[in-house]
Amino acid sequence: MADITATLNDALRKHDAHLAKSPRWRSQTTDEFLKEAYRINAHIASLRRYLLSIRQSYLTTTPQPRRAPIIRVDSLSQGVASNSHSHRATKDRQYLTDKQRDQIDAESKSTLRDLNAGIRQLADAEQLRQNTDVRLAAKRRARNGFKTLGRWAAGGVGEVSKKSPDEELEDARQNTVKVHRESVIWYLRRNLEEAGEIQRGMMELRLEREVERSKSVLYKTKGTRASPDFSDSDMTNGNGTAMANGRLYQGGKAAMTDEVERKKIEQQLSPEQLQLFAQENSDMLKHYEDTLDQVRTAERSMIEISELQTTLSQNLETQAAHIDQLVADSFYTTENVGGGNKELKKAAERKSTARMKPCGKRGIIKHTRGQRLANIKGHMEGSNPTVFTSDNVPQAPEDPLFGLMAAYKKDTFEKKVDLGIGAYRDDKAKPWVLPVVKKADEKLRDDPNLNHEYLPIAGLADFTAAAQKLILGAGSAAIQEKRVVSFQTISGTGAVHLGGLFLSKFYRRPFNQPVYLSSPTWANHNQIFTNVGLPLKTYPYFSPTTKGLDFDGMRCTIEQAPEGSIIVLHACAHNPTGVDPTREQWKEIAKAVRAGKHFPFFDCAYQGFASGNLDNDAWALRYFVEQGFELCVAQSFAKNFGLYGERAGAFHFVTGPGSDASNTILRISSQLAILQRSEISNPPAYGARIASIVLNDAALFEEWEENLKTMSGRIIDMRKAVRTKLEELNGKPGSWKHITEQIGMFSFTGLTEKQVLKLRDEAHVYMTKNGRISMAGLNTGNVDYFARAVDKVVRDT
């Protein structure tokens, strides 16, 4: 670019204005985009200079003299890097071998492709920057909607305020940068295209000369016969032209004309040799013509294939239209048959005198009109059998937990005990609506702005933001660095499903790495991950011997799992065992996960419900985030808010720290939004609104913590009562200590399936077959009955 500072200063002097200084370009003041553009442009310029510097040597077809040096071409990259040196070399050494020319062709094409890829990446990066600026601008102007997804994730809901002068100025600045950078990219593409034209022109001209040379009959004689000798009288002429070895030199440079060479060589050849060369040349031309005919034939075949494909496509479209019409006709036929069946049924039910017709001594003929109509009906119904037969749609087994609940409801025994479903009950065995939830409900109903419109795809923004802080901690670095995206889900079940679906589509598993679940785990884990196509394996968790954690087995299995496996971990109050690792054990688990480069997936359904302390129950998850893990979390508000039927939950994805973390989380958020949209479109509002009111109100939040202590405290009291009564009955102190060592809603009693069924049949105590009980189902009114029933079954078996 020319420096016009001097011209500008002349104009400024005429108007007594301050003179401008010459611009000084410094790379450290230039952004990364321009640095990369300058780098690419420098390589393009170097490539052009290099190609032009070797053009004469590349295109010459004159054979090298015996003592003439050959240009050494190591690689095109070296030539481009030291262009001036190559240019000086071509002045002294003017000959290239065919192998060197081929090397130049290959490496120049590779360089052009690399430069083109660099420009394309630069353009992609600029397009991403523009899209990000647009999203950020929309995010700043939006009044409502999910903060991370902006107006797109909010489905367009919300109003955009009028632009302020600062916003107008910022938009103008962004537009200037956009136009400038697009011009830079256009300039680079044009320069690269010109360099490509130079390289292509050199190749085409070289090929043309090679073809002309191969067609020449006289050319072949140069390599088969010795060069003719010339007398000393032919060495010079009156113009100072020197001739040696049959080649004409002009000013010391090789420039022998083809005409002189042709005449000299023809004198050395016999007529038979000339005829032989002419025949070979004719055969070669015929071969070229045959090859050209084959190419033309192939081209005609391709045209015919294309026409056949077009015809086939049209036929398929016509056939699809016919199929649609047949489907529509089948619907009409089904409706007509259904109407006819109704009429036939009515006719069959009408009484008729012809139902029993006497026929002499034969008695009564029973072929009545109603029977005939019934036969017709049967034939008509038999013509449309279902395609969903038991072969492809077998009867599924009943869900064992809900089947257990149904059996309990049918039981009429007065002292029956329900320890199956994991839902909190008060000391009177009644569902407990948290007092803070009642207050939030009243506050919600009194809100004059309450409506029943759709929520954004990502859910209620106030709810998901508060859920982030609750699970990760208000001071979490991941939240401050904007490395987290959150979606409202259909309770914890929907969160696990959304996470599993995302991982099945986007998590790289080149060796089909499995999902590792604890043994045992929540039964629904198996169905959810299987339904999204992820293979399953288990790691040891519960030890039947100690009735505690099999830590060594768990750690060893995680360490030996295939690299990059997905490890599902219960954040607290493990379901169904109630056994949690200690903090030191969690640190060892984190080391094993990191060593195997695994992806941790936390399921947190009992935060605050386990120990009564929200921060204590979230410690393990927060430790993993602090260690820089990339992970996801399924969070449920069913247990700790008592919102079982409202299905309030959240899914959080935390990416690892890094310079591109914010862009990574934007991309992940966009894909999660598509998955959410295709499955539930929008999450339900009521439960999220209740939880959001409590989480964002300091006084209500404090009351909620007291409600949590009430629920967790009652469960801890029941654990102590069960252990005390059982040990009093069997006279073995410590034999039931695992009941109080476990935590949360559930407890793994250690009872066998046989003992569980015996309890159900004889004592009407309902629990799952693996011996898991819901501690919330026990109270001061039935704990003594339960302990005596368990003690009796254990003694009898």
Side-chain angles (χ1 to χ4, degrees):
M1 181 185 298
D3 186 2
I4 62 172
T5 306
T7 305
L8 175 62
N9 286 337
D10 292 339
L12 293 174
R13 289 191 187 97
K14 295 178 181 179
H15 295 82
D16 296 327
H18 293 288
L19 301 182
K21 296 182 179 180
S22 298
R24 297 182 65 187
W25 180 82
R26 296 179 180 179
S27 62
Q28 58 266 31
T29 62
T30 306
D31 59 24
E32 293 299 327
F33 176 88
L34 291 181
K35 287 181 181 179
E36 180 66 12
Y38 280 124
R39 185 189 68 81
I40 295 175
N41 189 53
H43 281 292
I44 296 175
S46 298
L47 176 62
R48 290 184 60 183
R49 289 194 299 269
Y50 177 75
L51 292 175
L52 292 175
S53 68
I54 65 169
R55 189 174 188 276
Q56 182 178 0
S57 299
Y58 178 89
L59 295 177
T60 183
T61 58
T62 304
Q64 67 186 57
R66 291 181 179 179
R67 295 184 179 181
I70 300 175
I71 295 178
R72 182 175 63 85
V73 179
D74 294 331
S75 68
L76 182 62
S77 59
Q78 294 178 3
V80 173
S82 58
N83 178 265
S84 60
H85 173 75
S86 299
H87 182 66
R88 290 193 302 269
T90 56
K91 291 182 179 180
D92 299 331
R93 297 174 291 181
Q94 302 179 2
Y95 301 99
L96 291 171
T97 64
D98 289 340
K99 182 177 181 180
Q100 290 173 330
R101 291 187 179 94
D102 293 338
Q103 179 184 353
I104 291 172
D105 290 342
E107 294 188 358
S108 60
K109 289 179 183 178
S110 176
T111 303
L112 288 169
R113 283 195 297 269
D114 293 342
L115 291 172
N116 184 50
I119 296 174
R120 185 167 59 251
Q121 292 176 357
L122 193 65
D124 292 342
E126 172 59 15
Q127 184 63 45
L128 178 61
R129 185 197 67 80
Q130 294 177 13
N131 293 340
T132 303
D133 288 343
V134 171
R135 292 180 183 177
L136 292 176
K139 176 182 175 182
R140 288 193 294 268
R141 292 194 297 269
R143 293 179 179 176
N144 299 313
F146 181 51
K147 294 181 179 179
T148 306
L149 290 179
R151 295 186 64 207
W152 179 83
V157 178
E159 297 180 356
V160 180
S161 60
K162 185 179 179 180
K163 294 182 181 179
S164 65
D166 291 339
E167 290 176 335
E168 294 284 356
L169 183 62
E170 177 64 18
D171 288 347
R173 188 188 71 81
Q174 292 291 345
N175 188 55
T176 302
V177 173
K178 173 184 175 183
V179 173
H180 173 259
R181 292 191 173 186
E182 289 178 349
S183 301
V184 170
I185 293 172
W186 175 86
Y187 177 76
L188 292 175
R189 285 173 173 163
R190 190 196 65 178
N191 284 355
L192 184 63
E193 184 178 356
E194 291 177 355
E197 287 294 329
I198 293 173
Q199 192 268 344
R200 185 169 63 85
M202 290 172 58
M203 287 185 60
E204 290 178 352
L205 187 55
R206 175 197 170 193
L207 292 175
E208 290 177 2
R209 292 186 178 184
E210 290 291 341
V211 171
E212 291 298 326
R213 189 176 68 173
S214 66
K215 291 182 179 181
S216 174
V217 176
L218 297 178
Y219 175 79
K220 294 186 178 182
T221 64
K222 297 178 184 179
T224 57
R225 297 182 58 84
S227 299
D229 295 331
F230 296 93
S231 64
D232 293 340
S233 61
D234 294 328
M235 295 294 290
T236 61
N237 57 21
N239 296 327
T241 303
M243 300 180 63
N245 292 332
R247 287 172 173 76
L248 184 64
Y249 286 80
Q250 178 68 34
K253 296 183 178 181
M256 187 186 80
T257 63
D258 291 341
E259 182 65 23
V260 173
E261 184 181 5
R262 183 182 64 80
K263 290 180 180 180
K264 294 293 183 181
I265 294 175
E266 283 182 353
Q267 294 175 1
Q268 304 293 326
L269 298 176
S270 64
E272 291 79 7
Q273 290 175 321
L274 289 173
Q275 184 178 2
L276 177 62
F277 288 131
Q279 182 63 37
E280 292 179 355
N281 192 36
S282 176
D283 293 341
M284 185 182 299
L285 290 176
K286 184 178 180 182
H287 173 71
Y288 289 155
E289 291 174 355
D290 292 341
T291 304
L292 182 60
D293 290 339
Q294 293 176 1
V295 172
R296 289 171 177 170
T297 302
E299 183 179 6
R300 287 194 297 270
S301 300
M302 292 298 295
I303 294 174
E304 292 176 359
I305 292 172
S306 177
E307 292 175 350
L308 289 173
Q309 289 177 337
T310 303
T311 304
L312 177 60
S313 177
Q314 293 173 351
N315 292 339
L316 289 175
E317 291 177 358
T318 303
Q319 185 177 4
H322 290 164
I323 291 173
D324 292 340
Q325 184 61 43
L326 288 173
V327 171
D329 292 344
S330 67
F331 284 133
Y332 292 137
T333 302
T334 302
E335 292 177 359
N336 293 334
V337 170
N341 289 341
K342 291 179 181 179
E343 295 299 325
L344 289 172
K345 185 176 180 180
K346 293 178 182 179
E349 292 174 351
R350 287 198 296 267
K351 295 182 179 180
S352 172
T353 55
R355 287 187 179 273
M356 294 186 180
K357 180 180 178 181
C359 188
K361 296 181 179 179
R362 295 182 180 179
I364 300 175
I365 299 177
K366 296 183 179 180
H367 293 287
T368 62
R369 181 180 65 176
Q371 289 174 321
R372 290 195 298 271
L373 292 174
N375 292 337
I376 295 173
K377 177 182 177 182
H379 286 299
M380 296 183 69
E381 289 179 342
S383 62
N384 290 291
T386 179
V387 296
F388 300 102
T389 64
S390 59
D391 293 332
N392 58 349
V393 187
Q395 180 67 41
E398 183 181 34
D399 186 281
L401 196 57
F402 286 89
L404 185 69
M405 183 171 60
Y408 171 80
K409 289 182 178 180
K410 292 180 181 179
D411 195 334
T412 59
F413 186 67
E414 184 179 356
K415 293 184 178 182
K416 63 182 180 180
V417 181
D418 180 15
L419 304 178
I421 297 296
Y424 181 77
R425 297 290 182 264
D426 62 15
D427 197 50
K428 297 181 181 179
K430 300 295 183 182
W432 190 53
V433 179
L434 275 62
V436 73
V437 170
K438 291 182 178 179
K439 291 182 180 180
D441 183 63
E442 292 176 1
K443 190 173 182 179
L444 179 63
R445 285 188 281 108
D446 292 340
D447 184 0
N449 296 320
L450 177 65
N451 58 54
H452 299 285
E453 294 296 311
Y454 289 122
L455 290 182
I457 295 174
L460 190 65
D462 291 341
F463 167 72
T464 53
Q468 269 187 14
K469 296 176 182 178
L470 181 70
I471 194 72
L472 300 178
S476 173
I479 297 178
Q480 296 174 358
E481 296 167 7
K482 298 180 180 180
R483 295 189 283 113
V484 188
V485 62
S486 302
F487 274 69
Q488 182 186 335
T489 58
I490 308 296
S491 196
T493 305
V496 174
H497 173 73
L498 181 61
L501 186 60
F502 176 83
L503 294 177
S504 70
K505 290 176 67 68
F506 299 105
Y507 182 61
R508 292 184 178 178
R509 298 181 303 112
F511 305 106
N512 198 31
Q513 290 92 324
V515 174
Y516 275 84
L517 304 174
S518 64
S519 177
T521 188
W522 179 45
N524 218 13
H525 276 157
N526 295 276
Q527 298 178 122
I528 292 173
F529 288 110
T530 299
N531 286 344
V532 297
L534 292 173
L536 300 179
K537 284 191 177 182
T538 61
Y539 57 83
Y541 193 85
F542 182 77
S543 171
T545 303
T546 64
K547 296 181 177 62
L549 178 66
D550 183 2
F551 177 69
D552 292 335
M554 176 184 182
R555 180 178 58 183
C556 181
T557 302
I558 293 176
E559 290 175 344
Q560 296 177 0
E563 182 177 292
S565 298
I566 301 169
I567 311 297
V568 176
L569 301 166
H570 297 236
C572 64
H574 183 272
N575 180 4
T577 67
V579 176
D580 283 354
T582 65
R583 292 190 176 185
E584 291 304 317
Q585 288 173 333
W586 272 120
K587 292 179 181 179
E588 293 299 316
I589 293 169
K591 290 180 181 179
V593 172
R594 185 178 296 282
K597 298 181 180 179
H598 303 314
F599 184 88
F601 191 139
F602 278 90
D603 189 358
C604 184
Y606 301 96
Q607 185 183 2
F609 195 95
S611 65
N613 185 292
L614 292 163
D615 295 330
N616 183 67
D617 291 347
W619 185 89
L621 167 62
R622 293 177 184 179
Y623 177 78
F624 271 70
V625 174
E626 290 172 1
Q627 297 303 306
F629 279 93
E630 189 170 46
L631 53 83
C632 59
V633 186
Q635 183 182 21
S636 171
F637 291 90
K639 308 295 190 300
N640 51 17
F641 268 94
L643 296 172
Y644 302 100
E646 307 308 332
R647 316 308 291 145
F651 173 78
H652 311 279
F653 194 101
V654 183
T655 190
S659 59
D660 197 42
S662 57
N663 289 331
T664 300
I665 213 65
L666 280 174
R667 289 186 285 102
I668 292 172
S669 175
S670 67
Q671 294 295 343
L672 286 170
I674 292 175
L675 297 178
Q676 177 102 313
R677 171 66 171 160
S678 66
E679 296 232 332
I680 65 171
S681 190
N682 314 84
Y686 177 73
R689 285 171 173 164
I690 292 294
S692 178
I693 290 173
V694 175
L695 294 174
N696 290 290
D697 185 298
L700 292 178
F701 187 91
E702 184 176 353
E703 183 177 351
W704 177 50
E705 289 183 303
E706 292 301 321
N707 292 168
L708 287 171
K709 291 177 182 178
T710 298
M711 292 189 290
S712 61
R714 198 187 79 77
I715 288 177
I716 292 173
D717 291 342
M718 287 299 101
R719 288 184 180 277
K720 294 177 181 178
V722 169
R723 176 184 175 181
T724 300
K725 292 183 181 297
L726 285 171
E727 291 182 352
E728 286 177 354
L729 291 170
N730 67 11
K732 298 178 181 179
S735 56
W736 290 90
K737 66 178 182 178
H738 60 278
I739 298 294
T740 54
E741 290 176 347
Q742 297 169 4
I743 192 172
M745 178 171 287
F746 299 108
S747 177
F748 236 39
T749 61
L751 296 174
T752 65
E753 181 176 345
K754 180 180 179 181
Q755 292 169 334
V756 168
L757 296 177
K758 190 174 180 65
L759 272 172
R760 186 187 306 176
D761 294 337
E762 296 181 359
H764 304 269
V765 175
Y766 290 83
M767 67 180 74
T768 56
K769 292 182 180 181
N770 58 8
R772 186 205 77 171
I773 62 172
S774 172
M775 298 301 302
L778 294 174
N779 53 68
T780 55
N782 63 15
V783 65
D784 185 70
Y785 173 80
F786 168 74
R788 293 182 181 279
V790 170
D791 181 71
K792 181 178 182 301
V793 167
V794 171
R795 291 175 186 275
D796 293 345
T797 56

